[in-house]
């Protein structure tokens, strides 16, 4: 398989750049020689995520709510719209903010890209597929989403963002791309953000029971963050509109993940079953045929290696206090 498509960017704007995936994107773009403006209101993003970047030439951190304004002085040639609460704990705590970021925030980011004649990439999500009746999910699948359930504030914000991005491209000719990200994990996640990997790792390292929801048979497909970033940048460099799935097609049950984390962490923790959240998807697995064929991209880091790196990072963070 060929290497993912690359392209030289002069100045990239990353909304949500202090978030988990956003901060890894900022670093990758800086490493590739681009100037980067990170715009984040820090409602869920962490200053610690971008602290190592603050002294690097070409990096600028702007604290702002993209649903209200997008104060960028220098004209970008790439706009990556990654602002949004992304974990259930966050979007259930910030429902209106989540929807405003997905609507008004997406509009403001699209306007910046259009007026700057920049490439625009929308971070969408596998959540647009809802609780899918098709497995694996390819980009032609329309999904099975509850529009008024507790998860709808995130699901529908992203679905609206996709519709708005498509309309902007068709109406104004804006150079857009939609990437649908599947479950991503790695160093830099918050231990209490509510997602499975950081929750299990934190619990295993503390010797606490790992809280598996339901019977643990529901599945997810976990993509290591370096692979996700490579896929995003490959899609940005390509002329495709998308949507395109970026994720790892290796499916694992939540009970299987919990047991793997315990083994890799060398923990004595046991599993404790808790109530499964409303509208929690039973399966989640990407069909990445389009990404393989068009972008020359596929994930390279397996679950054991990625989880080892993640566990090592969490252990080092705990040691630092």
């Amino acid at each position: 398989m060929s290497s993912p498509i690359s392209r030289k960017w002069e100045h990239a704007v990353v909304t949500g750049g202090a978030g988990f995936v956003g901060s890894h994107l900022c670093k990758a773009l800086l490493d590739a020689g681009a100037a980067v403006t990170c715009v984040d209101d820090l409602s869920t993003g962490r200053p610690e995520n971008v602290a190592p970047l603050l002294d690097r030439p070409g990096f600028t951190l702007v604290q702002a709510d993209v649903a209200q304004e997008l104060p960028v002085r220098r004209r970008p040639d790439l706009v990556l719209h990654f602002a949004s609460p992304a974990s259930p704990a966050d979007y259930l705590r910030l429902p209106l903010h989540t929807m405003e970021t997905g609507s008004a925030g997406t509009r403001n980011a699209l306007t910046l890209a259009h007026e700057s004649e920049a490439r625009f990439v929308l971070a969408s999500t596998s959540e647009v597929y809802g609780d899918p009746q098709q497995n694996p999910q390819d980009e032609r699948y329309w999904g099975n989403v509850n529009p008024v359930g507790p998860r709808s504030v995130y699901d529908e914000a992203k679905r609206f963002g996709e519709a708005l991005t498509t309309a902007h491209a068709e109406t104004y000719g804006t150079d857009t791309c939609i990437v649908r990200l599947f479950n991503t994990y790695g160093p830099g996640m918050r231990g209490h953000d509510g997602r499975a990997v950081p929750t299990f790792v934190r619990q295993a390292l503390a010797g606490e029971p790992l809280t598996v929801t339901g019977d643990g048979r529901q599945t997810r497909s976990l993509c290591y963050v370096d692979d996700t970033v490579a896929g995003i940048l490959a899609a940005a460099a390509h002329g495709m509109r998308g949507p395109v799935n970026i994720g790892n097609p290796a499916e694992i049950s939540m009970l299987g993940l919990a047991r793997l984390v315990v083994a890799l962490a060398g923990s004595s923790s046991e599993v404790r079953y808790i109530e499964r959240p409303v509208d929690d998807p039973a399966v989640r697995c990407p069909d990445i045929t389009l990404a393989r064929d068009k972008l020359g991209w596929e994930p390279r880091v397996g679950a054991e290696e990625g989880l080892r790196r993640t566990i090592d990072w969490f252990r080092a963070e705990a040691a630092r206090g």
Side-chain angles (χ1 to χ4, degrees):
M1 169 142 325
S2 61
S3 298
I5 298 163
S6 62
R7 178 173 166 182
K8 181 74 173 177
W9 304 103
E10 296 296 327
H11 174 219
V13 170
V14 183
T15 73
F20 167 51
V21 175
S23 60
H24 282 270
L25 269 173
C26 288
K27 181 180 182 301
L29 287 161
L30 286 169
D31 291 345
V36 176
T37 298
C38 165
V39 183
D40 202 301
D41 68 357
L42 303 180
S43 60
T44 59
R46 300 193 310 159
E48 297 90 336
N49 285 344
V50 293
L53 309 179
L54 292 175
D55 294 330
R56 293 188 58 170
F59 182 76
T60 303
L61 173 61
V62 176
Q63 186 172 349
D65 180 354
V66 298
Q68 302 299 322
E69 60 175 342
L70 199 42
V72 176
R73 295 181 179 178
R74 180 180 170 186
R75 180 188 179 112
D77 55 355
L78 175 64
V79 176
L80 295 158
H81 183 41
F82 277 68
S84 177
S87 76
D90 288 334
Y91 60 69
L92 292 175
R93 176 174 57 89
L94 300 166
L96 295 179
H97 178 62
T98 300
M99 300 202 76
E100 288 162 359
T101 303
S103 53
T106 302
R107 180 195 62 204
N108 290 340
L110 280 162
T111 298
L112 174 64
H114 176 67
E115 292 179 347
S116 303
E117 298 182 336
R119 176 77 162 151
F120 175 87
V121 178
L122 173 70
S124 188
T125 169
S126 62
E127 291 297 321
V128 301
Y129 298 121
D131 187 6
Q133 297 174 338
Q134 170 184 306
N135 197 48
Q137 298 86 55
D138 64 36
E139 294 85 355
R140 295 167 297 179
Y141 178 54
W142 291 357
N144 177 40
V145 175
N146 178 358
V148 294
R151 302 171 72 100
S152 66
V153 294
Y154 183 63
D155 300 359
E156 297 294 6
K158 289 298 187 180
R159 287 163 70 94
F160 177 83
E162 288 198 12
L164 182 59
T165 298
T166 302
H168 219 276
E170 293 178 351
T171 302
Y172 298 119
T174 311
D175 183 13
T176 66
C177 178
I178 298 167
V179 291
R180 290 177 178 163
L181 307 184
F182 282 66
N183 302 79
T184 299
Y185 72 99
M189 301 189 86
R190 292 175 293 139
H192 290 274
D193 83 350
R195 286 179 277 199
V197 169
T199 298
F200 289 167
V201 171
R202 172 179 56 80
Q203 291 169 335
L205 293 179
E208 301 171 355
L210 272 65
T211 49
V212 173
T213 62
D215 61 10
R217 289 188 293 180
Q218 65 272 30
T219 68
R220 297 295 182 268
S221 298
L222 305 174
C223 194
Y224 189 66
V225 64
D226 289 356
D227 285 331
T228 296
V229 166
I232 293 163
L233 294 179
H238 195 280
M240 72 183 331
R241 270 202 199 177
V244 58
N245 290 336
I246 301 296
N248 193 324
E251 201 170 3
I252 186 172
S253 73
M254 290 298 91
L255 180 57
L257 174 63
R259 289 171 172 166
L260 181 57
V261 168
V262 166
L264 294 175
S267 173
S268 60
S269 294
E270 298 180 348
V271 167
R272 177 165 62 90
Y273 295 96
I274 62 175
E275 186 177 358
R276 189 170 162 189
V278 176
D279 294 335
D280 182 48
V283 293
R284 180 73 85 236
C285 182
D287 182 327
I288 62 168
T289 301
L290 183 61
R292 281 194 180 113
D293 291 348
K294 297 295 185 182
L295 305 179
W297 173 88
E298 64 180 357
R300 301 180 183 277
V301 180
E304 289 196 15
E305 175 60 25
L307 287 169
R308 282 195 184 96
R309 296 180 192 178
T310 305
I311 291 166
D312 288 347
W313 182 85
F314 270 92
R315 186 177 276 125
E317 286 291 294
R320 284 193 290 268

